């Protein structure tokens, strides 16, 4: 049982222990970066460092978790929107049963996992789903999963809004500085 629970779930009993593979399934991407034709508009495609661009099709109909499986960012996690795709260096992680396992809750849970024990390879590091899928996790009932996911998503939304405000202020400051100081390279 976690240290902190929402009041309405305090009497719901212990969380159930399961292997991660009971809640999530993995799917491979077939997209290679060197074969992409990027478009001005279309469906988003992501790599280990975020959005690469847009393409004319997509691999995932629903939202999903993406995990970097090869390279320097191995184990890095993302939560992406429906009708998008990732490169072959990432793996799609999807809920096996959306009624029992809330995908956003699973994403937040995975953010607490240390994937370094699952990393293999000395040249190019990689992780395999077959290894970390055996990880034992504690799972609350679906309503509690939803409440936790909603709460953390709300905080993420506030962080993103603040980050956007900071970026606007930085641009404003830069513009003011350009106007307040003479150009020295003329």
């Amino acid at each position: 049982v976690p240290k902190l629970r929402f009041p309405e779930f305090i009497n719901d009993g212990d969380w159930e222990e399961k292997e991660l593979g009971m809640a999530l399934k993995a799917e491979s991407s077939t997209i290679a970066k060197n074969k992409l034709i990027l478009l001005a508009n279309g469906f988003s495609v992501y790599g280990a460092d975020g959005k690469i661009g847009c393409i004319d099709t997509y691999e995932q109909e629903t939202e999903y978790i993406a995990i970097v499986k090869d390279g320097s960012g191995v184990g890095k996690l993302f939560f992406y929107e429906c009708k998008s795709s990732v490169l072959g260096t990432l793996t799609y992680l999807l809920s096996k049963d959306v009624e029992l396992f809330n995908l956003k809750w699973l994403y937040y849970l995975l953010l607490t996992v240390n994937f370094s024990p699952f990393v293999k390879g000395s040249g190019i590091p990689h992780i395999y789903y077959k290894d970390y899928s055996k990880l034992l996790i504690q799972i609350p009932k679906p309503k509690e999963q939803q409440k936790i996911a909603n709460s953390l998503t709300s905080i993420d939304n506030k962080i993103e809004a603040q980050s956007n405000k900071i970026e606007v202020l930085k641009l404003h400051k830069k513009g003011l500085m350009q106007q307040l100081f003479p150009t020295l390279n003329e």
Side-chain angles (χ1 to χ4, degrees):
V1 178
K3 292 177 188 171
L4 179 66
R5 280 181 104 170
F6 291 100
E8 64 266 36
F9 301 110
I10 288 174
N11 296 321
D12 272 8
D14 293 345
W15 289 13
E16 190 176 349
E17 186 173 79
K18 292 184 187 264
E19 286 188 356
L20 182 63
M22 297 292 291
L24 282 175
K25 62 183 175 181
E27 292 182 6
S28 298
S29 171
T30 59
I31 299 175
K33 187 174 183 178
N34 62 351
K35 305 257 183 196
L36 287 179
I37 299 171
L38 297 178
L39 308 169
N41 295 304
F43 302 101
S44 297
V45 61
Y46 299 95
D49 294 322
K51 187 173 178 177
I52 293 171
C54 295
I55 55 178
D56 62 356
T57 188
Y58 57 87
E59 287 191 337
Q60 289 300 321
E61 184 70 36
T62 62
E63 58 189 11
Y64 56 93
I65 301 166
I67 185 169
V68 179
K69 67 176 181 171
D70 295 314
S72 62
V74 71
K76 190 174 178 183
L77 295 159
F78 304 93
F79 193 89
Y80 288 132
E81 75 277 5
C82 58
K83 296 186 180 177
S84 64
S85 304
V86 296
L87 296 180
T89 56
L90 287 87
T91 298
Y92 299 109
L93 298 175
L94 304 154
S95 176
K96 281 191 169 179
D97 182 341
V98 294
E99 299 297 319
L100 293 176
F101 310 112
N102 180 290
L103 187 66
K104 197 71 175 245
W105 179 83
L106 286 163
Y107 168 71
Y108 288 117
L109 171 76
L110 288 176
L111 288 175
T112 69
V113 172
N114 174 13
F115 285 98
S116 59
F118 304 106
V119 176
K120 299 196 175 168
S122 56
I124 299 174
H126 48 270
I127 56 173
Y128 298 104
Y129 173 75
K130 67 179 179 61
D131 295 331
Y132 64 87
S133 69
K134 293 177 179 22
L135 183 71
L136 292 176
I137 59 170
Q138 303 295 320
I139 302 177
K141 293 180 175 121
K143 285 184 180 182
E144 190 169 2
Q145 291 175 40
Q146 184 66 52
K147 179 86 174 197
I148 293 168
N150 289 348
S151 177
L152 295 173
T153 298
S154 175
I155 294 169
D156 276 346
N157 291 342
K158 287 178 183 177
I159 291 169
E160 185 176 344
Q162 282 300 120
S163 297
N164 291 339
K165 287 179 186 178
I166 290 169
E167 286 307 310
V168 168
L169 282 172
K170 284 181 180 178
L171 288 172
H172 179 66
K173 177 186 171 190
K174 184 177 179 181
L176 283 174
M177 290 177 67
Q178 289 172 344
Q179 294 176 37
L180 291 168
F181 296 101
T183 306
L184 300 176
N185 323 13
E186 288 183 357

